């Protein structure tokens, strides 16, 4: 009987151990959290300006989710606040960003309309005021990029999962108690290394030529007209800064101008007696740093040959008026000639061109317009833009709202016609004459399909210069496009001005987990523990008897008793 009994006891205890193991597995499962979703998030820019830190200074995130429903002054140092941009309260943002109230992190939720992958017009389907949304985003972005924020700040796009999470979070926050390890809720986790400085960021300029026709064949003796556009961007989220208007529209207009004039210049009978110099410059948001270095590389003869330069900036979302910005007085003969030429063509096309004069301060390194870099070297230049006022530093340079949906392709086409006809009349001596060289339905007509394809490319490609390598696919694509229509295309690589320091870690994945409260976990552990003791006791009584069970818990005899 002893052997069967021992075998039976072994089986029972094996079962007990299995149950114990199962219980611990269940407990472990309770301790873990349930994954809800994983979404792409885009970090707020981190940079230093002359050694002063700006932007978000951290990247990793591991806190409970909250909303902006809390009363002012609430301690949110261990809370990541999720805020849909359409519900942004600027006062709340100022309190926690400008006044540096404790906060675990911020995640701004953007409507899908603002995704670079979304090509629909802004009016399609979303129930918000697009002008109001644009104003809110512009104000929010300027507030964030000019603040030193000691916690992670991310942007994400609304979707069904994240919207459902936000509904639950708001329901919990309505009680006035932030989610904690005790109360449970949702945990937001971004695993990212500490951001590092970008080593030796560069700016890359791209230039191409269309040489004019001279009787002795030496085109270097001809005057030159420069057509210039800065192609890079800056925004609150570098991974989202596509700058469809600022300055994707300027780049597209320049490339279409190069295509049109290459057709004219390919025939000696229609080649003008002007050289055309096309420049795609970098470093635009940073005082047009690339433009300065590009011009500094010119020899004196080339610089003196430039009759004037026309810079293209933000010309893709206007209605009835454009502006020509100049540094020389409007009474200057060259400025009058440029303005009258553009103004006459604009009137024929059914809109207006205004003139804005802004003197430059040589003692101040701040450059508001690209043409000012030419003016500093005594080269006549002007900027054509839909902006009537010079933007501040790091403003209107391709922010969150500047995507494909705000562009007006008709405005881009009209901008091409304006510049093309104005330049052609100057080159061929048709000033003041109603001559349409680039008439519709002719071999020299503007190509809307080409313009649309370029706008689509630039509207899905972030172009923050420090994050572009020297051989970045975008730079190679721009070089190829310019090379298809001009000659002697080359790249100029220069170090970015040392005033600016940038940091990596611009994009990450946000993991959203649902966690149970510690109170619930402890209660469940107590129940499971009690059940385990009862089960163990029952099995022992069944197999060994009550006396054996009592003996298990009886105090062991002392050494004296054992000795006796």
């Amino acid at each position: 009987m002893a052997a069967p009994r021992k075998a039976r006891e072994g089986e029972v205890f094996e079962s007990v151990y299995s149950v114990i193991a199962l219980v611990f597995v269940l407990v472990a499962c309770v301790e873990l959290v349930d994954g809800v979703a994983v979404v792409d998030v885009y970090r707020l820019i981190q940079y230093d300006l002359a050694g002063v830190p700006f932007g978000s200074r951290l990247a990793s995130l591991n806190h409970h989710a909250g909303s902006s429903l809390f009363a002012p002054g609430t301690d949110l140092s261990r809370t990541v606040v999720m805020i849909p941009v359409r519900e942004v309260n600027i006062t709340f943002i100022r309190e926690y960003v400008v006044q540096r109230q404790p906060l675990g992190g911020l995640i701004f939720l953007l409507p899908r309309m603002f995704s670079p992958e979304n090509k629909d017009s802004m009016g399609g389907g979303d129930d918000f005021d697009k002008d109001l949304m644009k104003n809110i985003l512009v104000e929010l972005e300027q507030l964030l990029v000019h603040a030193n924020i000691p916690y992670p700040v991310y942007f994400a796009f609304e979707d069904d999962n994240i919207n459902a999470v936000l509904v639950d979070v708001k329901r919990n926050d309505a009680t006035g108690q932030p989610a904690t390890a005790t109360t449970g809720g949702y945990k937001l986790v971004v695993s990212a290394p500490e951001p590092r400085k970008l080593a030796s960021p560069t700016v890359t300029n791209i230039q191409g030529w269309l040489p004019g026709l001279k009787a002795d064949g030496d085109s270097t003796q001809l005057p030159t007209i420069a057509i210039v556009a800065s192609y890079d961007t800056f925004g609150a989220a570098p991974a989202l800064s596509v700058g469809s208007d600022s300055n994707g529209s300027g780049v597209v207009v320049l490339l279409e101008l190069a295509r049109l004039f290459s057709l004219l210049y390919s025939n000696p009978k229609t080649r003008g007696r002007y050289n055309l110099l096309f420049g795609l410059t970098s470093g635009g948001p940073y005082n047009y740093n690339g433009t300065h270095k590009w011009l500094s590389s010119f020899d004196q003869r080339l610089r003196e040959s430039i009759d004037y330069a026309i810079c293209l900036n933000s010309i893709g979302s206007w209605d009835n008026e454009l502006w020509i910005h100049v540094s020389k007085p409007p009474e200057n003969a060259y400025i009058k000639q440029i303005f009258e030429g553009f103004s006459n063509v604009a009137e024929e096309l059914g809109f207006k061109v205004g003139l804005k004069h802004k003197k430059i301060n040589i003692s101040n390194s701040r450059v508001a317009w690209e043409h000012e870099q030419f003016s500093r070297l005594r080269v006549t230049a002007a900027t054509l833009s839909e902006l009537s006022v010079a933007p501040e530093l790091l403003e209107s340079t391709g922010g969150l709202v500047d995507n494909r949906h705000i562009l007006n392709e008709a405005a881009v086409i009209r901008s091409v016609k304006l510049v093309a006809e104005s330049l052609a009349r100057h080159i061929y001596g048709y000033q003041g004459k109603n001559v349409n060289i680039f008439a519709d339905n002719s071999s020299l007509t503007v190509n809307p399909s080409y313009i649309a394809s370029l706008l689509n490319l630039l509207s899905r490609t972030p172009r923050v210069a420090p994050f572009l390598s020297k051989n970045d696919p975008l730079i190679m694509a721009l070089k190829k496009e310019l090379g298809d229509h001009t000659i002697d295309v080359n790249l100029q690589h220069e170090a970015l001005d040392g005033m600016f320091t940038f940091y990596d870690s611009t994009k990450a994945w946000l993991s959203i987990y649902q966690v149970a409260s510690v109170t619930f976990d402890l209660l469940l552990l107590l129940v499971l523990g009690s059940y385990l003791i009862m089960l163990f006791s029952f099995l022992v009584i069944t197999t060994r008897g009550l006396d054996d069970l009592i003996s298990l818990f009886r105090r062991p005899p002392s050494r004296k008793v054992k000795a006796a």
Side-chain angles (χ1 to χ4, degrees), residues 345 416-426 435-439:
V345 174
V416 173
K417 289 182 177 181
L418 170 66
V419 182
E421 293 291 353
S422 302
L423 293 181
R425 292 183 188 185
H426 182 86
V435 177
N436 292 321
I437 297 174
F438 302 96

Side-chain angles (χ1 to χ4, degrees), residues 297-371:
S297 70
F298 291 179
D299 60 38
Q300 184 175 356
R301 185 174 63 173
L302 170 57
R303 195 179 304 158
E304 291 177 351
S305 76
I306 298 177
D307 196 34
Y308 71 87
I310 182 70
C311 303
L312 309 172
N313 182 292
S314 304
I315 46 179
S317 61
W318 54 279
D319 293 320
N320 297 310
E321 189 168 23
L322 285 172
W323 298 92
I324 291 180
H325 298 270
V326 295
S327 299
K328 293 184 177 181
E331 298 79 20
N332 180 279
Y334 291 102
I335 298 301
K336 287 181 67 176
Q337 185 181 30
I338 294 171
F339 174 66
E340 288 176 0
F342 275 78
S343 182
N344 291 338
V345 174
E347 187 176 351
E348 294 169 16
L349 294 173
F351 57 89
K352 292 173 57 179
V353 170
L355 185 67
K356 292 278 187 175
H357 171 228
K358 173 182 171 295
K359 294 178 64 176
I360 59 174
N361 183 356
I362 300 296
S363 62
N364 185 356
S365 61
R366 168 80 176 103
V367 176
W369 297 110
E370 189 165 18
H371 74 266

Side-chain angles (χ1 to χ4, degrees), residues 548-563:
D548 290 343
L549 176 62
I550 295 173
S551 67
L552 287 175
F553 297 98
R554 184 180 297 147
R555 179 181 299 174
S558 64
R559 292 182 179 179
K560 292 183 179 180
V561 173
K562 286 184 178 180

Side-chain angles (χ1 to χ4, degrees), residues 1 46 50 79 98 211 226 239 298 306 322 389 411 419 465 481 496 562:
M1 292 294 293
Q46 178 179 352
T79 300
V98 179
F298 291 179
I306 298 177
L322 285 172
V389 179
V419 182
E481 286 300 323
L496 180 64
K562 286 184 178 180

